[in-house]
Amino acid sequence: MNVLHFVNAFFSDGAHWQGYDGIPTRLAEHIRYSLLALVLAAAIGLPVGLLTGHYGRGGNTLALIATAGRALPSFGLLVLMFILLGFGMVPVMIPLVVLAVPPILVTTYEAVRSVDPSPVDAARGMGMGESRILFHVELPVALPLILGGLRSAAIQIVSTATIAAYVSLGGLGRYIIDGLYQRDYEKVAGGAALVAVLALATLAVFWAVARAAVSPGVRRGG
Amino acid sequence: MDSVTKRYPDGTVAVDRLSLEIPDRSITVLVGPSGCGKTTTLRMINRMVEPSEGRILLDGADIQEQPVNTLRRSMGYVIQNAGLFPHRTIVDNIATVPRLLGWGRNKARARAAELMERVGLDASLAKRYPYQLSGGQQQRVGVARALAADPPVLLMDEPFSAVDPVVRKGLQDELLRIQDELGKTVVFVTHDIDEAVKLGTMVAVLRTGGRLAQYAPPAELLSAPADGFVEDFLGADRGIRRLSFFASGGLRLQKSPIVSVDSTAEQIAARVTPGVPYLLVTDPDGRPLGWGEPDELTAGSPDPDRLLPHGRPFEYGSESLRAALDGAVLSPTGWAVAVDGTGRVVGVVSQQAIGEAIRSAHAGGRSAAGTEAGAEAGVAG
């Protein structure tokens, strides 16, 4: 009854590497769900966070929304959406996006607000427009923190996207859910290991993005 | 500035009916205790703060008539702690405004490199980031950035108050030198009256509540403070500081009691001067070594280690009576040493002679101040 043994058995079975239930297919599905959810959450969280951070208003409302979002159980929301909307991608995306928006929104807001006011004052005094100040001064300086928010959102999405399998979609959650039904614990352990590896890979991707996108001038400590 | 007032929504008046004529191509300093509205005043000039009442005219045109960002790009802006962009290299920081004005990248960078040289920054710093520079260097970058698009106006908000006194003095000297070369219209805010007196062509002293207490050239400020507030703000030693505005060129130097260290006893004896109890010994190049008593000096060749210290020599002509007096006070003999630009002794002068020069300088100053006081009284009457 050794977990490592299960994992090993799962990966050494050649049948697990091909077909519609093979690892490459499930992994690709999982990545697709996660990316879609992250993009949607970022599309909501980043602009709102940047604008509220820049104008320094709406912090309390944000905190309220974020807390409410965090308090919603993803699984419960999934089932509710499935009942309301039926089979499809939308009921899966809603809980994932609700899960990911709060960390993106709150860290972006805090990151922009915590930018040293003196370069911003200097930028304004030199005749930069507000949007230029936001995108050319505040955003690059706040970027390490903003990426941190995106990173924790992405990791939460990757681990939570397993619930998609519960409403008959694919992804790595298939192995865990099917394995549990079939009492095939090799499958469960293998699926869980794959999710963990994908989460670590996500970390690596964010590390690489941060190296490429963050200016060396603000990288210290970031 | 024409009767400008800034009133905040909560009723606080930051600046109260302030009218100032800021001369072109010179440094005007706004000075006052904290809360006197000096920064607010400065920020109204580039419309970072909009006045509640009154107008600000630039070359006769109301600044409200220009688009705000066009106005700001035509004014260099330097703030405390420099406010550099941490994510940009030094050269790109300096190139900010030229880039905003639509210059090409290479042209802007070339201009930035030129400015780094002008403000005394080594070219090797160009690719560094702000956090890699000292506070003084950052402030130089701040000045270079403000000058990058060659704006006619430079606004400086306590730019040197966050650096240590030695660096601050260097930056002040540098600013005066750059100002000599470029002739900008500089408006400079500080809470440091010494900085104001040193840098300002005109100094505006503001009092709490945003009222103008006095607007005058620094020498006049020191000689004739308008009221008790200005006098208190100037501090106790304004008499001494005022000496900074009197040239030392008017001092009558004694040239005889000076001997070279390699002189013979006869040469030394020939130099003994009535009324001067000591002889100044110089090295063979004419640089001062110290004071010796004539008897000891003629007894053998002068021993540099046994000479009395000569204090800090002052540069004759270019330095002020304040430097001369300082030299005399520092020397145990009570005599100051005058040197030329290369550090060679041109003469010596006693405290007494400096005192006489101060008296006659004050006499000149007093008559000028007297007529002004009279004029004011006339207006009041």
Side-chain angles (χ1 to χ4, degrees):
Chain A
M1 294 296 273
N2 184 316
V3 175
L4 287 177
H5 173 73
F6 282 156
V7 172
N8 188 37
F10 177 78
F11 286 110
S12 45
D13 186 344
H16 285 144
W17 290 97
Q18 47 199 304
Y20 73 92
D21 197 29
I23 291 170
T25 315
R26 292 298 183 212
L27 198 60
E29 282 170 351
H30 201 97
I31 291 172
R32 209 174 69 233
Y33 301 161
S34 301
L35 268 182
L36 184 59
L38 184 64
V39 167
L40 288 174
I44 298 166
L46 285 182
V48 177
L50 286 173
L51 283 176
T52 48
H54 177 71
Y55 291 107
R57 297 212 181 97
N60 291 336
T61 321
L62 278 190
L64 205 68
I65 294 169
T67 318
R70 280 181 180 139
L72 279 178
S74 301
F75 191 71
L77 197 57
L78 172 74
V79 174
L80 183 67
M81 289 302 143
F82 184 68
I83 293 168
L84 289 176
L85 303 168
F87 176 79
M89 198 60 122
V90 181
V92 175
M93 281 304 136
I94 287 172
L96 290 182
V97 170
V98 166
L99 177 78
V101 165
I104 296 175
L105 190 58
V106 172
T107 37
T108 305
Y109 170 78
E110 290 295 342
V112 174
R113 284 212 23 146
S114 65
V115 169
D116 180 1
S118 64
V120 177
D121 184 55
R124 197 165 283 134
M126 283 188 289
M128 276 198 194
E130 293 303 312
S131 69
R132 213 182 169 88
I133 291 174
L134 178 57
F135 289 105
H136 290 255
V137 181
E138 290 173 320
L139 180 62
V141 176
L143 196 57
L145 284 174
I146 293 174
L147 283 175
L150 283 170
R151 183 185 59 208
S152 55
I155 291 187
Q156 280 179 291
I157 289 174
V158 165
S159 54
T160 312
T162 46
I163 59 172
Y166 190 76
V167 292
S168 309
L169 281 172
L172 296 172
R174 273 274 56 91
Y175 296 131
I176 298 171
I177 303 238
D178 294 350
L180 283 171
Y181 276 122
Q182 299 159 0
R183 296 185 180 272
D184 180 351
Y185 296 117
E186 280 179 17
K187 215 179 206 177
V188 176
L194 281 170
V195 172
V197 169
L198 193 56
L200 289 176
T202 308
L203 273 184
V205 167
F206 271 94
W207 179 82
V209 168
R211 278 216 58 93
V214 175
S215 154
V218 292
R219 194 178 290 149
R220 296 168 313 138
Chain B
M1 302 190 90
D2 186 9
S3 191
V4 172
T5 296
K6 176 63 189 178
R7 196 176 292 113
Y8 284 103
D10 65 359
T12 320
V13 177
V15 177
D16 191 10
R17 283 163 297 159
L18 181 67
S19 294
L20 278 183
E21 176 107 21
I22 292 169
D24 278 352
R25 305 175 72 81
S26 63
I27 301 179
T28 301
V29 181
L30 306 176
V31 66
S34 49
C36 70
K38 53 193 190 294
T39 293
T40 309
T41 303
L42 184 84
R43 288 165 72 93
M44 283 195 286
I45 300 175
N46 68 354
R47 294 180 59 192
M48 299 282 279
V49 173
E50 297 285 4
S52 316
E53 282 162 33
R55 295 180 309 159
I56 299 173
L57 305 174
L58 179 65
D59 292 334
D62 194 325
I63 59 166
Q64 296 290 335
E65 283 161 15
Q66 274 196 67
V68 65
N69 284 339
T70 313
L71 176 80
R72 289 178 187 165
R73 285 169 201 178
S74 71
M75 295 179 173
Y77 186 50
V78 188
I79 57 175
Q80 199 182 348
N81 300 321
L84 302 183
F85 303 134
H87 60 292
R88 289 197 185 159
T89 57
I90 299 311
V91 67
D92 285 340
N93 258 288
I94 299 173
T96 305
V97 180
R99 295 284 289 153
L100 282 176
L101 293 171
W103 295 24
R105 181 177 295 265
N106 290 333
K107 189 183 168 203
R109 285 200 172 151
R111 171 74 180 150
E114 187 187 315
L115 278 157
M116 285 184 70
E117 199 183 313
R118 171 144 272 155
V119 299
L121 284 168
D122 197 87
S124 66
L125 299 175
K127 295 285 172 208
R128 301 263 184 97
Y129 286 92
Y131 78 89
Q132 295 167 304
L133 270 59
S134 68
Q137 286 173 324
Q138 290 193 17
Q139 205 48 264
R140 281 170 199 262
V141 177
V143 173
R145 183 173 65 176
L147 290 170
D150 204 15
V153 178
L154 201 57
L155 306 178
M156 307 182 84
D157 188 3
E158 304 209 15
F160 306 147
S161 56
V163 295
D164 67 66
V166 176
V167 174
R168 188 182 313 145
K169 182 177 182 304
L171 289 168
Q172 289 167 347
D173 293 343
E174 198 82 4
L175 177 67
L176 288 173
R177 186 182 61 72
I178 293 170
Q179 175 62 8
D180 270 353
E181 290 170 17
L182 303 179
K184 300 291 183 191
T185 302
V186 181
V187 185
F188 191 105
V189 164
T190 180
H191 58 257
D192 176 355
I193 184 68
D194 288 317
E195 188 167 68
V197 165
K198 175 172 178 178
L199 297 177
T201 312
M202 288 293 280
V203 177
V205 183
L206 302 179
R207 69 170 90 231
T208 316
R211 310 271 284 270
L212 183 65
Q214 189 170 12
Y215 186 43
E220 188 189 321
L221 205 64
L222 289 168
S223 62
D227 57 22
F229 169 79
V230 178
E231 197 169 350
D232 276 354
F233 194 70
L234 287 166
D237 57 347
R238 72 181 166 91
I240 300 284
R241 283 209 303 259
R242 189 172 161 230
L243 297 180
S244 307
F245 296 96
F246 300 131
S248 59
L251 286 172
R252 259 205 306 277
L253 301 179
Q254 296 245 35
K255 294 181 173 39
S256 55
I258 299 166
V259 293
S260 173
V261 71
D262 50 14
S263 310
T264 61
E266 291 76 48
Q267 283 172 316
I268 292 171
R271 283 298 193 169
V272 177
T273 313
V276 188
Y278 300 94
L279 287 174
L280 182 72
V281 181
T282 68
D283 68 9
D285 286 336
R287 291 188 174 75
L289 293 173
W291 295 95
E293 297 210 25
D295 294 347
E296 276 189 43
L297 292 179
T298 46
S301 74
D303 175 5
D305 293 334
R306 296 197 47 190
L307 298 172
L308 294 167
H310 57 70
R312 186 184 158 285
F314 67 97
E315 215 173 281
Y316 186 66
S318 61
E319 284 196 293
S320 66
L321 283 184
R322 187 179 179 178
L325 181 64
D326 188 57
V329 171
L330 279 177
S331 166
T333 59
W335 286 69
V337 179
V339 294
D340 62 13
T342 62
R344 287 192 178 80
V345 176
V346 293
V348 295
V349 60
S350 67
Q351 271 179 14
Q352 213 172 359
I354 297 171
E356 277 159 23
I358 292 171
R359 271 194 294 281
S360 65
H362 273 188
R366 197 164 24 243
S367 65
T371 43
E372 272 150 27
E376 273 168 34
V379 169

